[in-house]
Amino acid sequence: MKARPAPNPKDTQADLASLADAFAALDDVGEVAAFLRDLCTPAELEAIADRWKVVPLLQQGMPYREIHERTGVSVTTTGRVARSLEHGHRGYAAAIARLATR
């Protein structure tokens, strides 16, 4: 049997940095939307959009159940977003701040 080279080990930090760099290189909302549509499945896009949709509601102090009733986003997903807002990498906070200054 023919020997095959071992696959290169994953460097998830470098992979994430490369993806972030691609987003940062885009010029406008249309380009970002097109990139997201090419990059993600419809289900992935829905999941990402759902997470973003609950951010302002959490900031208003809305209870998880009410968020679910209003948006259809699961209580589990809402809780995940809330944890990221409180203890994450400040990515949501950066996006919120940038949008507020527009």
Side-chain angles (χ1 to χ4, degrees), residues 4 8 13 15 27 30 38 45 48-49 51 58 61 63-64 66 69 78 89 93 98:
R4 297 182 192 265
N8 292 332
Q13 292 295 71
D15 293 344
D27 287 329
D38 287 343
L45 285 173
I48 293 167
R51 290 176 190 150
L58 286 167
Y64 293 9
E66 189 175 339
E69 290 167 8
T78 300
H89 298 276
R98 292 287 170 92

Side-chain angles (χ1 to χ4, degrees), residues 5 19 23 35 50 57 62 78 88 97 101:
L19 179 60
F23 274 103
F35 184 58
D50 281 351
L57 302 176
M62 189 177 292
T78 300
T101 62

Side-chain angles (χ1 to χ4, degrees), residues 45-61:
L45 285 173
E46 181 180 8
I48 293 167
D50 281 351
R51 290 176 190 150
W52 184 244
K53 184 184 341 185
V54 303
V55 168
L57 302 176
L58 286 167
Q59 288 187 305
Q60 294 169 21

Side-chain angles (χ1 to χ4, degrees), residues 4-89:
R4 297 182 192 265
N8 292 332
K10 277 193 174 249
D11 183 349
T12 54
Q13 292 295 71
D15 293 344
L16 179 59
S18 176
L19 179 60
D21 193 42
F23 274 103
L26 299 172
D27 287 329
D28 59 42
V29 172
E31 286 183 356
V32 173
F35 184 58
L36 283 167
R37 285 189 188 99
D38 287 343
L39 183 66
C40 301
T41 66
E44 290 166 337
L45 285 173
E46 181 180 8
I48 293 167
D50 281 351
R51 290 176 190 150
W52 184 244
K53 184 184 341 185
V54 303
V55 168
L57 302 176
L58 286 167
Q59 288 187 305
Q60 294 169 21
M62 189 177 292
Y64 293 9
R65 288 265 172 230
E66 189 175 339
I67 291 172
H68 170 69
E69 290 167 8
R70 235 186 228 201
T71 65
V73 176
S74 74
V75 172
T76 303
T77 295
T78 300
R80 183 177 299 119
V81 173
R83 280 190 303 280
S84 291
L85 280 167
E86 291 291 319
H87 307 291
H89 298 276

